[in-house]
């Protein structure tokens, strides 16, 4: 039907043109991922030209969907209704066959666990309740519904663990679809279930379902039709603004602290080391710990971060793995920034919350293209640090290059595929619409093999040849040479000189700067809200980057002062520890902020939280390491070394 596709594409309809009503899913309100196909419940097919008994009936026909829609858990099918764009009211209905015991059981479970259904009318979502649990007396006729629509009512009704003897399931059989239009465009759709139509679910009962469509003209504009779905009161609450301001003040405080401690302390350190160097050359006078000359007393051996100048640029242990982690981390930094910026620019290309699956699409595209960043950063890091390893000193031929490349290519995809395969298997076992179709998996695999992997390999090659050895010697990337024999690390140091004491504190500070925004993000993921305040997200992401960098610098400075030169994993860990707190907050959110239950939903929640925490850990760890790396190079640049 040419007219149908034209109307759907530009949302403009001629009088009498068909407007498709698509059914998406049905499932318990408390469990967002436990969503089944609409006709899993024994609803009947409307008696229209689309009825399955008719030759060209479109009832339950799949809607052509994008990859992003499939991955977002959408499974739109034709409702079978034949609704026309018309100012006249319309009614369509059907009657079920007498209900069997199995069908009664399905409806009972659905009503007991607050099941709802979701439909799309001209790409606008509507939600409806399956039914209500009511006493056996004829109280359903006098049921007063104070909520404005079914979606609002779902918020105020709670699940019932067991159906007691005096409570019975009743199904809503009449639905009212109120459509408001401006000219030739649909602007608003509301669905309400009529309390007077509640019918008790019993074996042998025939249910007569009705859909009444009412049309009303409105002066509201088409471009703002999605605004009513955006919970401005929730997202733009003063607490949200205050939390961002609070985090910003924390950033200023931390930057001030870093500047004060490091500039002041480093100035003293430089003065002290300079004087010590002069004394060793034959000058008179000694200095105290503030770098001031002292008279008398024995000259004590210098202590602190200058002592480790011969080891500070030694390659970290498990160098190939560390290079791959840093490369993947930088890819995630670029990927996250790109997707947030894409969403912020929504007014230019179409708001991302209005198009199903658009954010998922953006993530796939940005991930594939940013693979070159992962390759480049891991290759460059390995090239710089490999000459400081024992193997390089012995001139051993090694396959470490290939290992770095393979780890960078496989690290994140392997973890992601492992988690998603488990969730897909659980989803398949339960028969939900969140199962990723095989064809989509094949497409994703081909995108990875033909775009992501080659870009990553090219990136590694570019990183390897970023600064040719002919221009710079292999060890001239660093201000100090690396000793052949590592010096022992003192064990008798206070807690603030040990990574184990500092890393958890660094993570706590970083988590403190994002946890309010984390609440809003989790609520959008798990509570049917449309996240649309991407400006806030961009601000908080910037704040997180600065806080992680600052805390990592402080941690590394304390460790170097304790003469612990193994700062690379410490810097990475102090950033990555943020993810541990995010996961713990996720556990708290699950038990205290949601009503989720059942194996399927628990698997999905903790599967996704594990994936979110791991990727955030990589991202923050990389930001922390990047800041600390610049800091360490900067302080050793200005030290007089024998």
């Amino acid at each position: 039907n040419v007219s149908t596709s034209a109307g759907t594409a530009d949302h403009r309809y001629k009088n009498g043109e068909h407007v498709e009503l698509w059914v998406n899913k049905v499932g318990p309100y408390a469990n967002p991922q436990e969503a089944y196909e609409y006709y899993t419940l024994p609803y009947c097919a409307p008696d229209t030209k689309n009825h399955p008994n008719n030759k060209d009936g479109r009832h339950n026909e799949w809607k052509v969907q994008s990859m992003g829609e499939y991955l977002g858990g959408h499974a739109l099918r034709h409702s079978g209704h034949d609704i026309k764009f018309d100012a006249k009211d319309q009614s369509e209905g059907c009657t079920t066959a007498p209900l069997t015991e199995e069908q009664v059981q399905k409806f009972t479970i659905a009503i007991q666990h607050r099941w709802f259904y979701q439909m799309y009318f001209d790409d606008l979502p509507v939600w409806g309740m399956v039914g209500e649990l009511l006493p056996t007396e004829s109280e359903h006729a006098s049921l007063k519904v104070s909520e404005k629509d079914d979606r609002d009512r779902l918020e105020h009704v709670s699940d019932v663990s067991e159906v007691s003897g005096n409570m019975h399931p009743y199904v809503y059989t009449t639905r009212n679809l109120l459509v408001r239009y401006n000219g030739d465009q649909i602007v608003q759709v509301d669905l309400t279930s009529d309390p007077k139509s509640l019918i008790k679910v019993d074996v042998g009962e025939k249910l007569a379902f009705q859909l009444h469509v009412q049309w009303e003209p409105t002066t509201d504009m088409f471009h703002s039709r999605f605004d009513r779905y955006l919970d401005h009161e929730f997202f733009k609450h003063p607490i949200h603004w205050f939390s961002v301001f609070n985090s910003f003040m924390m950033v200023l405080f931390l930057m001030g602290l870093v500047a004060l401690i490091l500039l002041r302390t480093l100035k003293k350190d430089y003065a002290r080391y300079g004087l010590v160097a002069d004394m060793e050359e034959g000058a008179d006078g000694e200095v105290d710990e503030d770098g001031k000359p002292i008279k008398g007393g024995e000259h004590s051996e210098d202590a602190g971060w200058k002592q480790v100048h011969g080891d500070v640029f030694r390659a970290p242990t498990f160098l190939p793995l560390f290079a791959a982690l840093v490369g993947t981390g930088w890819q995630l930094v670029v990927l996250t920034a790109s997707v947030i910026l894409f969403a912020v620019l929504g007014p230019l290309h179409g708001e991302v919350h209005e198009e199903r699956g658009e954010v998922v699409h953006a993530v796939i595209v940005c991930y594939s293209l940013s693979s070159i960043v992962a390759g480049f950063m891991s290759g460059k890091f390995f090239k710089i640090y490999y000459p400081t390893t024992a193997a390089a000193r012995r001139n051993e031929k090694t396959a470490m290059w290939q290992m770095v490349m393979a780890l960078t290519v496989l690290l994140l995809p392997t973890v992601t595929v492992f988690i998603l395969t488990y969730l897909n298997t659980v989803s398949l076992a339960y028969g939900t619409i969140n199962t990723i179709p095989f064809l989509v998996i094949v497409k994703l695999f081909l995108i990875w093999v033909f775009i992501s992997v080659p870009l990553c390999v090219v990136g590694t090659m570019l990183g390897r040849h970023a600064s040719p050895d002919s221009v710079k010697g292999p060890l001239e990337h660093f201000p100090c040479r690396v000793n052949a024999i590592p010096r022992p690390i003192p064990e008798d140091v206070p807690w603030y000189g040990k990574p184990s004491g500092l890393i958890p504190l660094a993570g706590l500070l970083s988590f403190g700067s994002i946890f309010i925004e984390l609440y809003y993000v989790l609520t959008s993921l798990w509570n049917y809200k449309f996240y649309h305040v991407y400006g806030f997200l961009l601000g908080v992401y910037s704040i997180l980057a600065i806080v992680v960098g600052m805390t990592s610098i402080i941690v590394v400075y304390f460790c170097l002062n304790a003469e612990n030169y193994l700062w690379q994993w410490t810097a990475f860990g102090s950033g990555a520890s943020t993810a541990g707190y995010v996961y713990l907050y996720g556990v708290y959110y699950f038990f205290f902020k949601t009503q989720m239950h059942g194996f399927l939903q628990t698997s999905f929640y903790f599967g996704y939280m594990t994936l979110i925490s791991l990727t955030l850990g990589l991202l923050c760890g990389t930001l922390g390491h990047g800041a600390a790396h610049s800091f360490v190079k900067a302080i050793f640049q200005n030290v007089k070394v024998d």
Side-chain angles (χ1 to χ4, degrees):
N1 187 330
V2 177
S3 63
T4 303
S5 57
T8 309
D10 64 1
H11 299 290
R12 291 186 182 276
Y13 297 93
K14 296 185 185 77
N15 208 30
E17 196 174 331
H18 292 285
V19 187
E20 304 297 0
L21 178 67
W22 301 95
V23 290
N24 185 22
K25 62 184 178 183
V26 63
Y29 189 71
N31 292 351
Q33 268 64 44
E34 193 183 337
Y36 304 95
E37 279 185 25
Y38 177 78
Y39 285 104
T40 305
L41 287 181
Y43 287 124
C44 53
D47 295 324
T48 64
K49 67 174 188 180
N50 291 313
H51 195 279
N53 293 344
N54 295 340
K55 187 184 166 193
D56 297 322
R58 295 186 63 196
H59 171 264
N60 223 23
E61 176 190 297
W62 280 101
K63 184 182 191 295
V64 178
Q65 297 194 126
S66 68
M67 193 158 60
E69 285 178 290
Y70 281 119
L71 292 169
H74 296 284
L76 272 65
R77 285 177 178 263
H78 201 286
S79 63
H81 286 286
D82 184 26
I83 301 169
K84 293 184 176 67
F85 187 84
D86 202 337
K88 299 186 196 76
D89 294 351
Q90 300 157 44
S91 284
E92 291 177 352
C94 62
T95 306
T96 64
L99 294 177
T100 63
E101 198 165 323
E102 186 190 350
Q103 289 173 327
V104 168
Q105 188 62 26
K106 278 184 178 179
F107 269 130
T108 304
I109 289 169
I111 294 163
Q112 181 187 339
H113 291 295
R114 199 170 35 141
W115 279 32
F116 74 105
Y117 53 85
Q118 187 189 37
M119 299 178 172
Y120 279 89
F121 189 71
D122 190 42
D123 275 346
L124 288 174
V126 288
W127 295 265
M129 284 183 76
V130 172
E132 305 264 2
L133 269 181
L134 297 167
T136 44
E137 300 89 38
S138 58
E139 276 194 25
H140 66 280
S142 60
L143 176 70
K144 291 280 184 286
V145 177
S146 57
E147 290 82 10
K148 66 178 187 290
D149 58 18
D150 282 27
R151 168 79 186 276
D152 200 27
R153 180 145 179 77
L154 283 161
E155 296 274 359
H156 299 108
V157 182
S158 51
D159 290 14
V160 179
S161 52
E162 280 183 41
V163 182
S164 56
N166 66 332
M167 299 294 276
H168 279 268
Y170 286 79
V171 167
Y172 283 111
T173 54
T174 301
R175 300 155 180 180
N176 298 312
L177 197 67
L178 177 62
V179 184
R180 293 189 173 91
Y181 63 96
N182 186 345
D184 57 356
Q185 291 180 308
I186 292 166
V187 174
Q188 188 177 325
V189 185
D190 283 308
L191 187 138
T192 48
S193 302
D194 186 359
K196 294 189 178 70
S197 71
L198 284 163
I199 302 289
K200 189 178 169 187
V201 180
D202 270 327
V203 177
E205 182 77 53
K206 288 184 178 180
L207 300 176
F209 288 97
Q210 285 287 323
L211 176 73
H212 297 305
V213 185
Q214 293 171 274
W215 295 83
E216 275 186 12
T218 181
T219 54
D220 292 347
M221 299 307 290
F222 177 81
H223 65 79
S224 62
R225 69 180 193 153
F226 223 88
D227 279 5
R228 58 197 299 266
Y229 296 101
L230 312 177
D231 196 340
H232 292 288
E233 200 179 326
F234 175 74
F235 283 106
K236 293 180 180 173
H237 194 280
I239 286 177
H240 202 169
W241 287 101
F242 179 72
S243 75
V244 174
F245 178 71
N246 199 31
S247 298
F248 181 67
M249 295 309 289
M250 182 177 170
V251 163
L252 291 180
F253 169 72
L254 271 173
M255 287 172 82
L257 192 70
V258 168
L260 185 74
I261 293 176
L262 302 187
L263 289 176
R264 199 156 165 247
T265 313
L266 286 173
K267 197 174 172 187
K268 288 178 184 175
D269 290 346
Y270 286 137
R272 186 168 85 229
Y273 295 147
L275 280 161
V276 169
D278 290 344
M279 282 190 300
E280 284 169 356
E281 285 164 16
D284 293 328
E286 292 175 357
V287 289
D288 63 11
E289 60 177 13
D290 286 336
K292 292 173 184 170
I294 51 171
K295 291 169 188 171
E298 278 188 34
H299 166 59
S300 57
E301 193 189 334
D302 193 22
W305 55 266
K306 190 208 170 191
Q307 293 303 298
V308 295
H309 66 80
D311 297 275
V312 76
F313 294 108
R314 195 176 296 284
T317 44
F318 309 112
L319 177 61
L321 174 65
F322 195 85
L325 288 173
V326 167
T328 308
W330 281 116
Q331 179 183 7
L332 288 170
V333 170
V334 172
L335 163 69
T336 311
S338 307
V339 172
I340 295 174
L341 281 170
F342 174 75
V344 168
L345 297 173
L348 300 179
H349 56 72
E351 297 286 3
V352 291
H353 49 260
E354 292 184 21
E355 297 292 329
R356 290 184 299 274
E358 192 163 347
V359 173
V360 181
H361 239 129
V363 169
I364 294 168
V365 171
C366 293
Y367 173 80
S368 305
L369 297 178
S370 62
S371 297
I372 195 163
V373 176
F376 180 81
M377 296 308 282
S378 66
K380 189 179 172 192
F381 186 86
F382 183 77
K383 176 194 169 64
I384 290 171
Y385 278 96
Y386 179 66
T388 69
T389 59
R393 289 177 190 279
R394 291 194 297 268
N395 283 327
E396 287 179 15
K397 289 203 169 177
T398 127
M400 273 196 186
W401 264 114
Q402 291 86 326
M403 194 195 292
V404 171
M405 201 183 286
L407 280 171
T408 310
V409 166
L410 294 169
L411 199 69
L412 190 61
T414 306
V415 174
T416 309
V417 166
F418 178 76
I419 291 172
L420 292 184
T421 303
Y422 166 69
L423 294 181
N424 219 33
T425 308
V426 172
S427 181
L428 201 61
Y430 276 78
T432 77
I433 63 167
N434 283 302
T435 309
I436 303 169
F438 179 70
L439 204 60
V440 174
I441 294 170
V442 170
K443 281 182 190 172
L444 286 171
F445 179 72
L446 292 175
I447 288 170
W448 182 68
V449 167
F450 291 109
I451 299 173
S452 184
V453 174
L455 280 176
C456 192
V457 171
V458 168
T460 311
M461 294 299 179
L462 289 172
R464 187 176 178 178
H465 302 292
S467 47
D469 287 341
S470 56
V471 180
K472 247 183 177 186
L475 291 170
E476 285 175 27
H477 297 284
F478 309 124
C480 314
R481 66 174 182 270
V482 179
N483 295 341
I485 301 162
R487 71 181 265 133
I489 297 169
E491 289 179 14
D492 185 26
V493 291
W495 67 270
Y496 55 81
K498 292 178 180 169
S500 56
L502 292 166
I503 286 173
L505 288 176
L508 192 58
L509 270 174
S510 307
F511 172 72
S513 68
I514 61 163
F515 89 99
I516 298 280
E517 197 61 38
L518 187 64
Y519 169 73
Y520 285 100
V521 171
L522 291 181
T523 304
S524 303
L525 276 176
W526 307 111
N527 268 355
Y528 308 104
K529 300 240 186 240
F530 290 92
Y531 191 91
H532 63 282
V533 284
Y534 290 99
F536 275 110
L537 196 60
L538 185 62
V540 171
Y541 183 55
S542 311
I543 286 168
L544 175 69
I546 296 168
V547 172
V548 166
M550 296 293 141
T551 49
S552 296
I553 286 172
I554 293 168
V555 167
V556 165
Y557 180 74
F558 276 121
C559 285
L560 291 178
N561 255 346
E563 295 179 33
N564 181 348
Y565 53 83
L566 304 175
W567 60 273
Q568 309 235 31
W569 280 104
T570 304
F572 193 89
S574 65
S577 61
T578 312
Y581 292 103
V582 167
Y583 190 81
L584 290 173
Y585 181 77
V587 174
Y588 159 79
Y589 188 89
F590 179 83
F591 287 109
F592 296 101
K593 299 288 180 186
T594 72
Q595 296 175 332
M596 294 177 188
H597 55 267
F599 178 72
L600 174 113
Q601 186 59 42
T602 307
S603 296
F604 265 90
Y605 182 88
F606 286 104
Y608 281 138
M609 278 312 297
T610 303
L611 196 55
I612 288 167
S613 300
L614 286 172
T615 48
L616 187 72
L618 269 176
L619 186 151
C620 291
T622 303
L623 287 170
H625 177 266
H629 194 268
S630 304
F631 166 74
V632 171
K633 276 184 86 169
I635 64 169
F636 281 96
Q637 206 97 42
N638 301 320
V639 169
K640 288 183 187 176
V641 179
D642 310 331

